[in-house]
Amino acid sequence: MKSVDVAVIGGGILGCFAARNLMRWNLSVVLIEKELDICTGITRANSAIVYAGYDNKTGSRKAELTVRGNASFDDLCRELEVPFSRCGSLLVTYDKESLAQLRRKWEQGIRNGVPGLELLTGGEAEAMEPMLAPGVAGALYAPTTGTVNPWQLGIAAFENAAANEMEPMLGTTVVGIRKTKFGYLVETDRSELRCRAVINCAGLSADRIQELCFPSDTHLLIDGAEYLVLDKQARKPKRVIFQQAQSCGKGITAIPCVEGNLLLSGVRKPVGEPFATTKEGISELKTSAVSLFPNLNMQQVIRSFAAARPNPQWDDGESIHDFSIAYPAPGFFSLIGIKTPGLTCANELGRYLAEKTAAFLDAHPNPRFTPHRQAIAKTNDPEIICLCEGISRGEILEAIRRGASTVDGVKRRVGSGMGVCQGSRCSFAIEQILREVWHGAL
């Protein structure tokens, strides 16, 4: 039976950053993920926004970690060689009665320590973003808001953790956890694992994972939103645009992605089938987008998808509005219901958990830890497989060498299949390369 210091359950962005930060300490760590690749759940369907921190209640863990995480994002992305755009954001309203809400958010942001916040008149907002429909009543400008590719960031953290000797256990499902005299026995569908501490980052299944060993007073209600992706040639705002609606608090969101596409996010609502779009939801999102941006060409939509998000609630049904971190027993840490701004805070949450775990295990800093990860570089290979994005055979082979085992896994590492044709021309060729690698031909 294998024995390690820490088992991290869940290979989404939170699990990957928990594992990466644990490697800063002299600890043996495994990361257990039920899928054959990492960052395939909540992380892959994400709005990609690095939030400024004005939306979180002053004094909450969310507020503290969001402001701190945002401030350190440039350095983090340089370490991991992941593109990051600090494009700023506008929270706009067309309703004069909502101006008081904007001022309250501005005041809260100032208390939280968010730098550079400004309240703008409607005219100032329209001058800053000419694509907006006329009639803006006012806006809140946050220059520190940014965008990043969420799955690239999670994969980069995973690769850095693995380079620092974290051991991945992919395609492995946790079926049981037992408290023992030495710590915990984690039972999987492949083997048993003895560990001194457990970090539960299982996303939509986090409450069920904890209940394998301890009762949980926190449960998850799943909601989500639908998204549209527009071609890189589409006109787009320069900044993230949040639409404030008096009726529901928030309308649609427009995100200029680091890759050059425009991402449109609909209003969050309870979902039927997680990660499934609906005809009604997509139609509503298109109508709202054109209302906000009259000159937006919806013929340039190249993809739609849906997200699922965990909303933590107490047993009595009351919503939990801060990050929910449970400590049901010494050495057992559960992230149950980490939602927006989880992407912004992923590294800070990972560092927090790693420090708590290291203190519990009396671990010492790891002098061999290196925080740097090298991205997959553009090659001089003349054989271009993905014509839309200019992705070469050499880049695809490197993605496979780093762990991609499917066409989607290659896409999330090098961006193949993300252009106008959405993989219709390159998917077969990438499948062929994968088969050649599997059969030892390469």
Side-chain angles (χ1 to χ4, degrees):
M1 182 188 303
K2 185 177 183 63
S3 296
V4 296
D5 292 318
V6 189
V8 178
I9 302 174
I13 194 168
L14 295 177
C16 291
F17 271 104
R20 177 183 187 250
N21 281 287
L22 283 165
M23 302 318 299
R24 296 178 184 273
W25 303 88
N26 272 323
L27 295 169
S28 56
V29 179
V30 298
L31 184 148
I32 306 171
E33 167 54 45
K34 63 182 177 65
E35 304 296 339
L36 294 173
D37 202 356
I38 45 117
C39 297
T40 61
I42 297 173
T43 306
R44 67 172 296 177
N46 190 289
S47 64
I49 299 171
V50 177
Y51 288 88
Y54 62 75
D55 234 356
N56 310 119
K57 184 178 179 181
T58 302
S60 66
R61 182 181 281 134
K62 261 190 187 181
E64 176 189 352
L65 296 187
T66 301
V67 174
R68 191 194 309 164
N70 179 293
S72 64
F73 231 85
D74 298 274
D75 291 339
L76 175 66
C77 289
R78 274 193 291 268
E79 286 181 348
L80 297 176
E81 293 193 12
V82 174
F84 171 56
S85 170
R86 197 174 286 282
C87 56
S89 66
L90 284 176
L91 173 61
V92 302
T93 182
Y94 288 81
D95 179 4
K96 290 184 178 180
E97 293 183 15
S98 295
L99 292 176
Q101 295 180 36
L102 290 187
R103 175 163 287 278
R104 285 194 291 271
K105 289 179 183 293
W106 174 78
E107 291 171 346
Q108 181 169 259
I110 297 300
R111 291 195 301 270
N112 292 350
V114 179
L117 288 179
E118 293 182 48
L119 284 171
L120 305 180
T121 65
E124 289 171 330
E126 291 173 20
M128 187 176 283
E129 288 292 351
M131 280 191 68
L132 286 167
V136 175
L140 175 57
Y141 173 50
T144 59
T145 302
T147 63
V148 69
N149 184 308
W151 64 69
Q152 283 188 0
L153 184 65
I155 289 170
F158 173 85
E159 290 181 355
N160 183 240
N164 283 285
E165 301 183 0
M166 176 274 293
E167 181 180 349
M169 295 177 63
L170 305 181
T172 303
T173 300
V174 174
V175 297
I177 305 174
R178 287 191 284 128
K179 184 78 176 74
T180 66
K181 63 181 181 181
F182 53 78
Y184 297 91
L185 183 69
V186 178
E187 302 168 9
T188 77
D189 58 351
R190 297 172 59 182
S191 62
E192 292 183 340
L193 176 72
R194 188 161 54 189
C195 58
R196 299 166 62 200
V198 172
I199 297 180
N200 170 20
C201 298
L204 299 178
S205 302
D207 53 346
R208 295 193 294 274
I209 288 294
Q210 178 170 314
E211 287 169 353
L212 291 175
C213 191
F214 302 105
S216 174
D217 58 2
T218 306
H219 300 283
L220 300 179
L221 177 68
I222 308 303
D223 72 8
E226 292 167 273
Y227 293 81
L228 293 171
V229 182
L230 277 73
D231 178 35
K232 293 178 181 179
Q233 303 306 315
R235 289 188 63 192
K236 62 186 73 66
K238 296 178 181 179
R239 300 162 186 83
V240 175
I241 305 295
F242 302 105
Q243 181 188 21
Q244 172 129 333
Q246 186 181 27
S247 58
C248 60
K250 187 177 179 183
I252 69 167
T253 302
I255 306 109
C257 300
V258 290
E259 297 86 0
N261 300 91
L262 176 63
L263 179 64
L264 299 173
S265 169
V267 177
R268 292 177 64 163
K269 60 185 69 173
V271 297
E273 181 69 23
F275 303 106
T277 59
T278 65
K279 181 179 179 180
E280 297 76 17
I282 294 299
S283 177
E284 179 184 330
L285 178 53
K286 288 182 176 180
T287 300
S288 298
V290 173
S291 176
L292 186 60
F293 303 108
N295 295 321
L296 196 62
N297 182 1
M298 298 309 292
Q299 298 300 314
Q300 293 177 293
V301 171
I302 60 175
R303 186 182 171 220
S304 63
F305 66 94
R309 296 286 180 270
N311 278 295
Q313 295 184 332
W314 300 117
D315 279 339
D316 61 7
E318 181 184 354
S319 293
I320 302 173
H321 298 290
D322 203 352
F323 286 144
S324 176
I325 304 177
Y327 312 95
F332 197 107
F333 307 90
S334 274
L335 295 181
I336 301 181
I338 303 298
K339 57 177 184 177
T340 305
L343 172 63
T344 310
C345 301
N347 185 53
E348 293 301 320
L349 284 165
R351 188 184 294 269
Y352 173 84
L353 289 171
E355 290 173 353
K356 290 286 186 183
T357 305
F360 172 73
L361 297 178
D362 195 25
H364 299 285
N366 177 10
R368 300 180 305 280
F369 176 79
T370 174
H372 300 287
R373 167 262 188 187
Q374 190 170 15
I376 296 177
K378 285 289 183 182
T379 69
N380 294 322
D381 188 341
E383 185 177 359
I384 302 300
I385 303 299
C386 175
L387 298 177
C388 294
E389 298 297 309
I391 308 300
S392 69
R393 183 182 183 88
E395 292 167 73
I396 290 167
L397 287 172
E398 178 62 13
I400 295 170
R401 187 191 71 79
R402 295 194 186 197
S405 59
T406 63
V407 172
D408 188 65
V410 172
K411 169 184 176 179
R412 290 183 296 111
R413 286 167 174 82
V414 296
S416 53
M418 291 184 66
V420 176
C421 84
Q422 287 293 287
S424 63
R425 292 187 291 190
C426 64
S427 292
F428 179 80
I430 295 172
E431 286 176 356
Q432 182 61 36
I433 295 171
L434 284 162
R435 284 194 292 270
E436 290 172 358
V437 172
W438 293 336
H439 294 146
L442 295 176

